[in-house]
Amino acid sequence: MLVTNKTGDARIGHCRICNAQIAPFMSFGRMPIANGFLKPDEIESEYFFELAPAFCDACGMFQLIEQPQPEKMFHQQYAFYSSTSRYMQRHFEAFAHAVINGPLAGRADPFVVELGSNDGIMLQHFQRCGLRHLGVEPSANVADMARNRGISTVTTFFNSKLAADISAEHGSADAILAANVMCHIPDLPGVAAGVQRLLKSDGIFVFEDPYLGDMIAKTSYDQIYDEHVFIFSATSVRRAFAPFGLELVDVAPQVTHGGSMRYTLAPKGSRKASESVDQQLTKEAVLGLDRAETYLKFKTNCESSRIGLTQTLERLRGQGKRIVGYGATSKSTTVINYCKITPEQIEFISDTTPIKQGRLSPGAHIPVRPYGEFLERYPDYALLFAWNHAAEIREKETGFVAAGGRWIVYVPEIAIVS
Ligand code: JHZ
């Protein structure tokens, strides 16, 4: 069943992959667009939807039952620039070189396509090696930045029709790549059909996204927000792509974004699957990722986390402490709105991304300020919204801790650390 909410966005009663009936196992309540940082005059027209995840017993896909239209999330003002983290820059350099020196090695004039190529953080390495490449990126501002760096990019959404056009113009792809993108696409079957159409019969499709197993184990519920219509596991990925002749041939855990998984798929029968696939599928069965009760336990853990964080903030405010948020992440939108954090509790959120600065956080309208303001006058506590970059951040913020500052963290549990 597909119904629409008042704003015309699709709300589903069936699995987006296998069509089985599904129902949400919890709700995080009304949520704004996670990257919808606002100018003060935009408050009146702020958009909200219900953030409610469901788990499909039939195919194992974890998904949102309602997602805003893509154009509301990805546009000429898209606020997330991939290159903001030095660690992520190194990560994508290593990803690119693993593909260049692995599956592409020895191929004559290979062609690489990246879906959701953002500001070109990964494709720049193919470009530097003189390899034919094309980025597909629907958010015009980040796509422009990539083009300005000389990276071939088209500003549009990927689908089967575009796959045919690309194929006609450039030939089939030796490799199709995507990072933190596939989990954003509600019509995953449509994109899988496009990948099948564009990929060479001996090509590979490699993508990585936040991993369901990590999210469940760490109660990192902030991975759930409008853009992440799916949170994948090896089990659900294997099943979702099989109808398109794409076989899961490798999985590799990544530390990025608080725990991600890199999936490699290939046309069925073209490559031998590595042992990692069966091992991961077994691990997921042991973790209970295929069972509904796992998600009910997760719901209870989310509620406990919310109570713990709310009480911590109230206690510190009661003591008159200054608290500032660190990193206006997409994830923080879920935490802030689910925990009902207010501008009275959090003075501002520090962020290095120019487009977010001077704006208000979605929903709660906490001011987002340039990083310089954090440095100028350290708060007593910094709530680490960018917890997935903790190593990089804590390494560069030794001055904050030396001045007596403390970090409030909430993944995997609520803690105050120095
Ligand atoms: P970060 C993004 O999520 C968006 P987000 C996207 N939807 C996705 O799928 C995931 O990635 C995987 C700032 N920062 O990387 C920069 C500092 O201020 O956790 C960013 O605004 N100082 C595509 O938004 C934010 O924090 C710093 O030192 O949750 C980090 O956002 C660092 C390192 C970052 O992703």
Side-chain angles (χ1 to χ4, degrees):
M1 187 186 47
L2 191 137
V3 292
T4 52
N5 65 13
K6 274 189 236 131
T7 51
D9 293 333
R11 187 183 169 96
I12 55 162
H14 64 271
C15 173
R16 295 173 191 272
I17 304 301
C18 76
N19 230 23
Q21 264 208 324
I22 54 167
F25 62 85
M26 72 179 291
S27 175
F28 291 94
R30 306 259 303 146
M31 280 285 158
I33 300 286
N35 270 306
F37 294 90
L38 306 153
K39 295 179 190 149
D41 65 354
E42 291 169 340
I43 288 178
E44 283 297 301
S45 57
E46 189 168 18
Y47 170 84
F48 289 86
F49 72 106
E50 190 194 0
L51 185 68
F55 169 73
C56 176
D57 288 329
C59 73
M61 189 60 84
F62 186 103
Q63 56 200 287
L64 297 185
I65 58 144
E66 189 175 330
Q67 193 194 33
Q69 288 148 356
E71 296 75 13
K72 290 198 175 87
M73 301 181 284
F74 309 109
H75 41 63
Q76 70 287 358
Q77 290 282 309
Y78 185 54
F80 181 72
Y81 286 75
S82 294
S83 298
T84 46
S85 152
R86 258 181 281 143
Y87 181 82
M88 292 309 290
Q89 290 178 19
R90 290 199 295 271
H91 172 78
F92 285 117
E93 183 176 3
F95 188 160
H97 286 288
V99 175
I100 293 167
N101 301 324
L104 293 190
R107 291 199 182 206
D109 193 23
F111 176 47
V112 178
V113 175
E114 187 183 353
L115 313 183
S117 44
N118 199 279
D119 56 15
I121 188 170
M122 176 143 69
L123 277 185
Q124 62 182 330
H125 302 288
F126 294 91
Q127 179 228 26
R128 280 181 200 155
C129 291
L131 297 177
R132 285 195 303 133
H133 64 274
L134 182 69
V136 181
E137 173 52 63
S139 299
N141 56 334
V142 288
D144 280 347
M145 184 175 257
R147 267 190 297 271
N148 291 340
R149 296 156 90 182
I151 297 156
S152 311
T153 307
V154 287
T155 307
T156 186
F157 289 98
F158 183 80
N159 55 29
S160 208
K161 160 83 174 65
L162 185 75
D165 292 348
I166 296 175
S167 217
E169 195 180 334
H170 303 271
S172 305
D174 294 81
I176 301 178
L177 311 176
N180 305 311
V181 167
M182 296 307 290
C183 72
H184 295 61
I185 305 173
D187 182 17
L188 195 68
V191 168
V195 169
Q196 182 183 31
R197 195 161 181 174
L198 180 58
L199 199 61
K200 278 189 182 162
S201 56
D202 61 350
I204 53 151
F205 173 39
V206 191
F207 70 90
E208 61 185 37
D209 279 298
Y211 178 57
L212 182 65
D214 283 294
M215 186 185 84
I216 297 295
K218 298 174 189 164
T219 316
S220 45
Y221 66 85
D222 55 354
Q223 293 292 4
I224 303 171
Y225 54 89
D226 55 0
E227 295 180 19
H228 290 178
V229 66
F230 300 113
I231 307 283
F232 295 133
S233 63
T235 307
S236 61
V237 164
R238 189 173 69 104
R239 289 181 185 153
F241 287 91
F244 302 90
L246 293 166
E247 193 177 4
L248 184 61
V249 294
D250 193 53
V251 292
Q254 309 292 316
V255 295
T256 49
H257 287 294
S260 298
M261 188 65 76
R262 184 176 297 168
Y263 306 94
T264 301
L265 295 105
K268 193 167 171 47
S270 67
R271 268 164 209 268
K272 192 174 167 331
S274 86
E275 284 174 4
S276 64
V277 175
D278 276 344
Q279 285 167 358
Q280 197 63 33
L281 294 172
T282 307
K283 235 187 235 175
E284 291 182 358
V286 173
L287 275 172
L289 293 191
D290 55 351
R291 287 196 299 278
E293 58 266 30
T294 302
Y295 300 95
L296 294 178
K297 175 83 174 51
F298 173 69
K299 174 181 187 242
T300 309
N301 291 344
C302 291
E303 288 161 355
S304 305
S305 175
R306 169 170 65 174
I307 292 167
L309 183 57
T310 309
Q311 287 178 345
T312 303
L313 295 178
E314 275 171 15
R315 178 171 57 78
L316 296 175
R317 282 305 290 160
Q319 294 166 4
K321 304 292 185 194
R322 273 187 73 223
I323 309 172
V324 159
Y326 196 104
T329 58
S330 321
K331 297 181 290 293
S332 70
T333 295
T334 298
V335 178
I336 290 170
N337 290 282
Y338 176 58
C339 299
K340 301 199 174 10
I341 297 173
T342 64
E344 285 70 44
Q345 292 170 312
I346 303 283
E347 199 174 300
F348 65 88
I349 306 173
S350 157
D351 198 285
T352 52
T353 318
I355 197 173
K356 296 181 185 176
Q357 298 163 357
R359 299 206 181 195
L360 301 170
S361 77
H365 308 150
I366 300 169
V368 180
R369 300 245 200 268
Y371 172 54
E373 294 196 24
F374 172 81
L375 291 178
E376 253 164 46
R377 197 173 147 238
Y378 286 137
D380 300 305
Y381 291 85
L383 177 50
L384 188 54
F385 289 127
W387 58 268
N388 46 308
H389 299 293
E392 176 175 342
I393 291 171
R394 289 175 68 182
E395 195 183 305
K396 79 175 179 199
E397 300 302 354
T398 48
F400 166 60
V401 175
R406 294 290 174 265
W407 297 102
I408 306 171
V409 296
Y410 50 85
V411 175
E413 49 206 27
I414 316 294
I416 292 180
V417 294
S418 53

